[in-house]
């Protein structure tokens, strides 16, 4: 065998290069997305990784003879002459006059759902049942290209800010977020839990790296089928040490979001255009205290009974309020009640009934929780006891506090939630590639 050099040979010309090859022969590889037979000629649309390339077949200039063996989803290598054409809106486009087609593979069956239409026209549940196929539809795949951009922006921005990327274990000794939504697992006869978040580990790494982030799946045993909860979702987390105030975390998140939105506009324009996404302009993000937000909701909305947290209806109202008064799609709500926040959250020294914590609402739905953490050992042990927890079960977590930790805090941002609201979906499953919910573990 020859030696490997690290260069993958390619005979293919990317679509972005077509403008430099007008009138010349080029080769592309892709899937047959659609064939439109016009009797004496045919349009064959080839789907490459990011584009649909229109190719024109005519016996006049083709060595290839089109027959019924060429069907949608055939993988092909196609050579043709680059021709400049115009789209209906007058913008430039390039197509290929087909010279030859080499069929690399042929599907065994016709897809159960038509994927070559502008969009998938079936119920969401059918769309999800056939995900490996329906994701081939350009609009479906654009969702997850944009989702890639969001993660990329998160990673790039935080790396530039001196954060270290980590991977915490997903099989854990304790549930980090409490509550009933923890998956229990038999681990060689011992009960363990699937990670609800990387909370305990990202905090442990603050005295090590000072600033850390993680993008990874987390697990929540949600017992109800709702439009905004998944049983497995991607959590984008960061944790930073030596903060002066919990507002440092909110400022960092504002920076991250600004960067993500700019990156999407710059490098994901085809998908933004295809899905007609309204990318939010962020200059700054307004903040309101939980109590003030609650008072406003009580005044403006009827039948508010839960004074400790928000109902979805209240979040939606606050989202509209932020848009109206600050022209902002985002709103930070701060100082949630101590009773409603997890054991690691720091209470406000000026008012221990409330915490130095926040949620971020995006277009009226929570996409982030975060805040300052307790870093003092005695304080953390005391809070655990107050909440009826056994500090001994958290001995390894408490090493953080016992052996010294700087003031720190961080946040968790749900990737599917952010994608869902950016793209205007009503259901979070639209923004999950292979969603897991109470009724679904396949495909
Ligand atoms: P929290 O539990 O609020 O906080 O989760 C943070 C964010 O994760 C998303 N999210 C979900 N997305 C889809 N399906 C679910 N079942 C689901 N549950 C939560 C939301 C939410 O805002 N450790 C803290 C974060 C921190 O303080 O650093 C935590 O996990 O977008």
């Amino acid at each position: 065998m020859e030696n490997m050099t690290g260069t993958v040979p390619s005979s293919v010309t990317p679509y972005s290069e077509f403008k430099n090859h007008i009138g010349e022969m080029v080769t592309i590889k892709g899937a047959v997305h659609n064939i439109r037979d016009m009797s004496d000629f045919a349009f064959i649309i080839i789907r490459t990784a990011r584009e649909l390339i229109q190719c024109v077949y005519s016996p006049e200039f083709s060595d290839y003879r089109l027959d019924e063996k060429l069907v949608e989803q055939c993988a092909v290598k196609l050579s043709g002459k680059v021709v400049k054409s115009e789209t209906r809106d007058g913008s430039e486009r390039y197509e290929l006059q087909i010279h030859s087609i080499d069929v690399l593979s042929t599907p065994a069956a016709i897809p159960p759902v038509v994927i070559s239409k502008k969009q998938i026209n079936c119920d969401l549940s059918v769309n999800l049942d056939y995900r490996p196929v329906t994701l081939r539809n350009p609009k479906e795949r654009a969702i997850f290209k944009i989702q890639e951009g969001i993660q990329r922006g998160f990673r790039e921005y935080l790396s530039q800010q001196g954060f270290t990327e980590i991977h915490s274990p997903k099989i854990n000794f304790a549930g980090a977020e409490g509550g009933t939504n923890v998956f229990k697992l038999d681990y060689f006869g011992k009960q363990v839990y699937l990670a609800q978040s990387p909370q305990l580990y990202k905090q442990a790494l603050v005295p090590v790296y000072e600033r850390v982030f993680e993008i990874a799946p987390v697990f929540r045993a949600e017992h109800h089928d709702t439009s905004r909860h998944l049983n497995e979702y991607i959590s984008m987390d960061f944790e930073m040490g030596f903060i002066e105030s919990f507002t440092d975390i909110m400022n960092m998140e504002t920076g991250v979001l600004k960067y993500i939105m700019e990156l999407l506009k710059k490098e994901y324009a085809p998908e933004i255009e295809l899905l007609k996404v309204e990318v939010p302009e962020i200059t700054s993000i307004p903040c309101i205290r939980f109590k003030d937000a609650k008072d406003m909701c009580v005044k403006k909305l009827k039948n508010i009974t839960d004074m400790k947290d928000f109902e979805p209806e209240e979040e939606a109202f606050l989202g509209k309020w932020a848009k109206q008064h600050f022209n902002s799609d985002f709103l930070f709500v701060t100082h949630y009640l101590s009773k409603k926040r997890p054991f690691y959250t720091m209470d406000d020294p000026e008012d221990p009934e409330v915490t130095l914590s926040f949620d971020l609402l995006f277009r009226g739905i929570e996409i982030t929780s975060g805040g300052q953490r307790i870093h003092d050992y005695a304080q953390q042990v005391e809070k655990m006891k107050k909440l009826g927890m056994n500090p001994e079960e958290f001995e390894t977590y408490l090493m953080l506090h016992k052996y010294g930790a700087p003031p720190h805090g961080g946040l968790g941002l749900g990737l599917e939630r952010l994608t869902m609201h950016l793209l205007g979906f009503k259901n979070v499953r639209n923004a999950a590639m292979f969603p897991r919910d109470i009724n679904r573990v396949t495909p």
Side-chain angles (χ1 to χ4, degrees):
M1 275 181 82
E2 60 197 288
N3 291 344
M4 299 300 125
T5 60
T7 309
V8 182
S10 175
S11 51
V12 165
T13 304
Y15 182 72
S16 56
E17 292 288 312
F18 278 20
K19 57 180 179 297
N20 303 322
H21 294 278
I22 298 169
E24 294 171 19
M25 292 291 280
V26 298
T27 298
I28 59 171
K29 283 183 192 168
V32 175
H33 188 64
N34 189 221
I35 303 173
R36 288 204 305 275
D37 197 342
M38 319 297 272
S39 78
D40 50 348
F41 74 102
F43 289 115
I44 300 178
I45 312 298
I46 300 297
R47 190 180 67 244
T48 60
R50 216 169 166 186
E51 290 98 10
L52 292 179
I53 303 177
Q54 177 159 291
C55 304
V56 187
Y57 164 80
S58 162
E60 251 179 64
F61 45 71
S62 189
D63 280 356
Y64 179 77
R65 285 293 160 260
L66 184 62
D67 59 27
E68 65 284 353
K69 281 199 215 119
L70 192 78
V71 293
E72 286 182 11
Q73 309 315 315
C74 273
V76 296
K77 183 173 172 184
L78 183 154
S79 298
K81 190 161 85 176
V82 180
V83 185
K84 196 167 156 183
S85 66
E86 264 189 15
T87 58
R88 268 188 222 140
D89 65 5
S91 55
E92 274 180 16
R93 185 171 68 176
Y94 303 92
E95 57 184 34
L96 288 187
Q97 285 184 348
I98 299 170
H99 182 258
S100 64
I101 300 180
D102 193 0
V103 179
L104 305 175
S105 83
T106 305
I110 298 171
V113 180
V114 181
I115 52 180
S116 57
K117 289 254 158 65
K118 277 219 162 93
Q119 57 199 38
I120 295 287
N121 286 321
C122 63
D123 282 353
L124 179 58
S125 65
V126 178
N127 179 333
L128 299 179
D129 285 345
Y130 294 107
R131 219 37 166 170
V133 184
T134 53
L135 285 170
R136 299 177 189 191
N137 173 267
K139 280 197 174 176
E140 291 296 319
R141 73 176 180 181
I143 299 168
F144 300 99
K145 197 70 190 170
I146 289 176
Q147 194 165 76
E148 177 222 39
I150 296 173
Q151 297 172 66
R152 203 181 124 194
F154 189 84
R155 175 176 282 116
E156 280 180 13
Y157 185 77
L158 292 178
S159 301
Q160 287 165 17
Q161 300 295 317
F163 283 73
T164 296
E165 183 162 9
I166 57 159
H167 287 291
S168 60
K170 302 302 160 213
I171 300 174
N172 287 341
F173 65 91
E177 306 301 333
T180 54
N181 67 357
V182 58
F183 281 110
K184 294 176 185 153
L185 209 68
D186 173 54
Y187 193 68
F188 308 111
K190 203 171 153 188
Q191 183 162 293
V192 294
Y193 307 92
L194 284 184
Q196 290 168 299
S197 77
Q199 187 65 39
L200 309 187
Y201 295 93
K202 60 177 182 167
Q203 280 189 255
L205 290 167
V206 166
V208 183
Y209 297 112
E210 201 173 307
R211 292 178 165 197
V212 294
F213 76 92
E214 175 165 1
I215 304 173
V218 293
F219 306 89
R220 306 274 172 115
E222 304 290 355
H223 297 278
H224 306 288
D225 201 352
T226 84
S227 60
R228 51 156 100 177
H229 291 96
L230 295 164
N231 286 349
E232 175 177 345
Y233 70 91
I234 305 291
S235 189
M236 303 201 292
D237 280 81
F238 72 68
E239 201 68 21
M240 52 196 277
F242 297 98
I243 55 172
E244 304 274 340
S245 149
F246 78 115
T247 55
D248 289 358
I249 306 153
M250 288 146 67
N251 267 321
M252 189 62 79
E253 181 166 31
T254 306
V256 170
L257 289 168
K258 274 188 195 180
Y259 186 90
I260 289 174
M261 299 310 160
E262 286 312 308
L263 183 72
L264 291 181
K265 280 195 271 186
K266 213 167 56 199
E267 298 202 20
Y268 295 80
E271 288 78 17
I272 297 287
E273 167 63 26
L274 185 64
L275 297 177
K276 306 268 172 280
V277 184
E278 247 183 75
V279 180
E281 291 294 333
I282 307 174
T283 40
S284 61
I285 298 182
C287 304
I288 184 170
R289 290 176 78 108
F290 174 80
K291 186 178 177 314
D292 298 337
K294 195 70 185 177
D295 287 349
M296 199 160 60
C297 291
V298 170
K299 257 191 223 150
K300 299 277 178 188
L301 303 170
K302 286 183 200 133
N303 305 326
I304 303 297
T305 49
D306 183 357
M307 299 308 284
K308 300 189 190 93
D309 214 340
F310 292 125
E311 298 286 343
E313 181 199 359
E314 294 174 272
E315 288 186 351
F317 165 76
L318 292 170
K320 284 195 193 124
W321 176 79
K323 188 73 185 167
Q324 224 171 23
H325 288 81
F326 303 97
N327 193 26
S328 174
D329 286 312
F330 295 91
L331 177 68
F332 280 116
V333 181
T334 64
H335 299 90
Y336 279 79
L337 295 179
S338 187
K339 287 183 203 129
K340 294 301 282 185
R341 298 303 262 205
F343 64 90
Y344 48 79
T345 315
M346 188 181 274
D347 293 334
D348 185 348
E350 286 173 16
D351 176 6
E353 295 285 297
V354 300
T355 51
L356 299 178
S357 72
F358 64 88
D359 274 5
L360 178 64
L361 306 187
F362 174 39
R363 295 179 177 155
I365 294 242
E366 175 209 321
I367 58 161
T368 296
S369 288
Q372 183 159 356
R373 326 300 186 184
I374 298 171
H375 57 269
D376 180 77
Y377 179 69
Q379 212 177 331
Q380 182 63 83
V381 169
E382 193 194 313
K383 186 154 183 183
M384 283 175 158
K385 284 185 180 158
K386 204 167 124 193
L387 292 171
M389 296 166 68
N390 179 1
E392 279 169 23
E393 283 173 19
F394 288 84
E395 199 187 338
T396 55
Y397 168 63
L398 287 166
M399 282 185 198
L400 162 77
H401 311 76
K402 200 174 198 172
Y403 302 113
H408 65 281
L411 58 78
L413 169 54
L415 177 62
E416 292 85 351
R417 286 258 184 106
L418 173 55
T419 312
M420 168 189 180
H421 293 293
L422 182 65
L423 304 189
F425 294 131
K426 298 245 177 312
N427 195 318
V428 70
R429 288 160 187 76
N430 283 109
M433 214 179 238
F434 295 103
R436 297 293 181 250
D437 62 35
I438 193 159
N439 299 311
R440 180 179 291 282
V441 279
T442 57

